[in-house]
Amino acid sequence: MVLLHLPKLPSTILTPLSTSPIFLRTHFLNPNPNPTKTPRPLLLFSTLTLPASEPTPLDPHTPEPTPHLQLPLHKLFVPPETHVPLDTPTLTARILKGSNILLSNYATDSQVAQAEFIKSSVRTEDCPSDGLPEFALVGRSNVGKSSLLNSLVRRKKLALTSKKPGKTQCINHFRINDSWYLVDLPGYGYASAPQELRMDWEKFTKDYFLNRSTLVSVFLLIDASIPAKQIDLEYASWLGQNQIPMTIIFTKCDKRKKKKNGGKRPEENVNDFQELIHGFFETAPPWIMTSSVTNQGRDEILLHMAQLRNYWLKH
Ligand code: GDP
């Protein structure tokens, strides 16, 4: 994917890692809680077309506020054809909450109105052939892939379809809004899976990544509540080496108990993972912190998918 060069700016900016939905509302939508009052003008987005996104409901599970993290500019993901604001406050406001991703003018029409299971395929050539753009979700078993899929489409059990007997090792296509696909790929890293099955899985998912022409980006799910696993690093490395566009989705970011989770908080594990994969990529891949318990990151993922998809459709 082509990335734009960043102009000279202060060497660091603050990126909000807060899980508070209020942050999303005040930064990405026109905050007008009382419709009888005159709407407040959008101050932060004079150059940006805002998506018609639903506000995230306040959630009783929202944990303590997370501190702002200093993010060096070279670690930002700047989508193609994106205007980079020259002043730091505007730039900060344009970064998707809990991510390193700058919003572009392509980030429109992000919400899911309709989702339906279409088919399970065992080979890339059997996948739908209607040419619609797609995003593939992949991750270690138990990383929270089904929970994330259900959260994205706001349906409690849609992902169960992929867990039915015979489908766990398939490429499962879900059509969204009749215009794009979410693709559920088999989880990897089952300790108990026989070697033969693991080899098979590797062969067909790698074939899918390399040959599926409508694949806009792989969404690699990484559990942020535990330290990085070797198999995840190997996976990220393979995608980097093969120049497959990739977004990292850090899951379970609500799990904040240090003791229970190997001594580190999610944002520390997120930072460590960046450091470990740094050498695999020419430019920093996009990443987003999420939780299927609090729905943190859901709107951000959808906006990011919308901007990648809309750009892909125009080129
Ligand atoms: P999959 O095997 O990758 O599809 O993982 P699942 O979605 O089935 O989730 C595995 C386990 O992790 C389940 O017990 C979920 O309830 C739990 N889980 C998934 N996402 C989250 C999350 O964001 N936060 C927390 N705390 N638990 C989660």
Side-chain angles (χ1 to χ4, degrees):
M1 179 162 288
V2 186
L3 297 181
L4 299 185
H5 288 292
L6 290 166
K8 278 203 167 171
L9 283 162
S11 61
T12 61
I13 51 161
L14 292 174
T15 181
L17 280 173
S18 168
T19 56
S20 161
I22 290 166
F23 196 92
L24 182 73
R25 284 214 291 270
T26 54
H27 283 71
F28 293 97
L29 296 172
N30 191 355
N32 182 26
N34 183 350
T36 57
K37 281 189 177 173
T38 317
R40 278 192 266 160
L42 271 174
L43 298 174
L44 296 170
F45 286 98
S46 54
T47 59
L48 189 71
T49 312
L50 285 172
S53 174
E54 291 172 29
T56 307
L58 282 173
D59 195 300
H61 299 291
T62 303
E64 65 202 79
T66 317
H68 280 56
L69 190 79
Q70 287 222 329
L71 188 65
L73 277 172
H74 68 271
K75 291 191 176 176
L76 269 190
F77 171 76
V78 182
E81 296 178 15
T82 305
H83 163 71
V84 182
L86 289 173
D87 66 294
T88 306
T90 311
L91 177 60
T92 305
R94 290 266 308 268
I95 296 171
L96 282 174
K97 183 187 65 166
S99 86
N100 70 335
I101 300 169
L102 202 61
L103 263 186
S104 73
N105 287 331
Y106 285 101
T108 60
D109 308 323
S110 65
Q111 288 301 308
V112 173
Q114 191 203 0
E116 58 179 326
F117 171 71
I118 298 298
K119 73 179 290 197
S120 293
S121 317
V122 284
R123 296 178 314 167
T124 310
E125 49 270 40
D126 299 331
C127 292
S129 55
D130 50 17
L132 296 176
E134 66 192 40
F135 301 94
L137 305 179
V138 68
R140 219 158 26 79
S141 56
N142 223 36
V143 70
K145 186 157 55 71
S146 311
S147 307
L148 181 81
L149 179 57
N150 289 335
S151 153
L152 287 175
V153 300
R154 296 176 194 248
R155 292 257 299 271
K156 282 195 178 134
K157 292 184 178 165
L158 192 70
L160 272 182
T161 321
S162 316
K163 290 203 164 178
K164 285 189 182 152
K167 293 192 172 161
T168 52
Q169 293 302 310
C170 291
I171 305 168
N172 293 306
H173 275 78
F174 297 87
R175 195 163 55 211
I176 312 295
N177 300 348
D178 268 333
S179 58
W180 55 282
Y181 287 107
L182 271 173
V183 182
D184 193 2
L185 293 178
Y188 57 82
Y190 286 99
S192 56
Q195 182 67 12
E196 258 171 59
L197 192 66
R198 276 189 255 166
M199 297 293 289
D200 246 23
W201 172 83
E202 281 217 340
K203 219 169 116 204
F204 97 70
T205 40
K206 284 182 178 173
D207 180 74
Y208 167 86
F209 291 143
L210 293 169
N211 298 314
R212 183 68 173 156
S213 60
T214 48
L215 177 63
V216 179
S217 178
V218 173
F219 279 57
L220 176 63
L221 275 60
I222 302 293
D223 187 340
S225 71
I226 53 170
K229 297 261 188 202
Q230 186 59 28
I231 193 164
D232 290 331
L233 295 169
E234 282 167 15
Y235 216 92
S237 161
W238 186 88
L239 290 168
Q241 275 167 22
N242 288 280
Q243 301 189 338
I244 313 281
M246 178 191 76
T247 299
I248 304 172
I249 301 297
F250 289 105
T251 61
K252 307 191 186 183
C253 292
D254 58 286
K255 291 177 99 180
R256 312 195 53 77
K257 294 271 183 312
K258 274 187 161 196
K259 266 191 190 160
K260 275 194 189 164
N261 301 324
K264 293 205 171 173
R265 286 181 180 273
E267 59 269 29
E268 293 175 279
N269 287 326
V270 166
N271 271 343
D272 290 353
F273 199 83
Q274 306 302 317
E275 291 304 315
L276 289 164
I277 64 163
H278 168 70
F280 307 155
F281 301 91
E282 268 177 37
T283 50
W287 55 262
I288 306 177
M289 292 178 73
T290 71
S291 159
S292 300
V293 172
T294 65
N295 288 326
Q296 176 191 355
R298 177 178 60 194
D299 290 344
E300 288 74 9
I301 292 179
L302 292 172
L303 278 168
H304 178 56
M305 284 177 170
Q307 66 180 3
L308 295 180
R309 193 172 63 237
N310 290 333
Y311 177 82
W312 185 90
L313 286 167
K314 288 227 166 134
H315 293 85

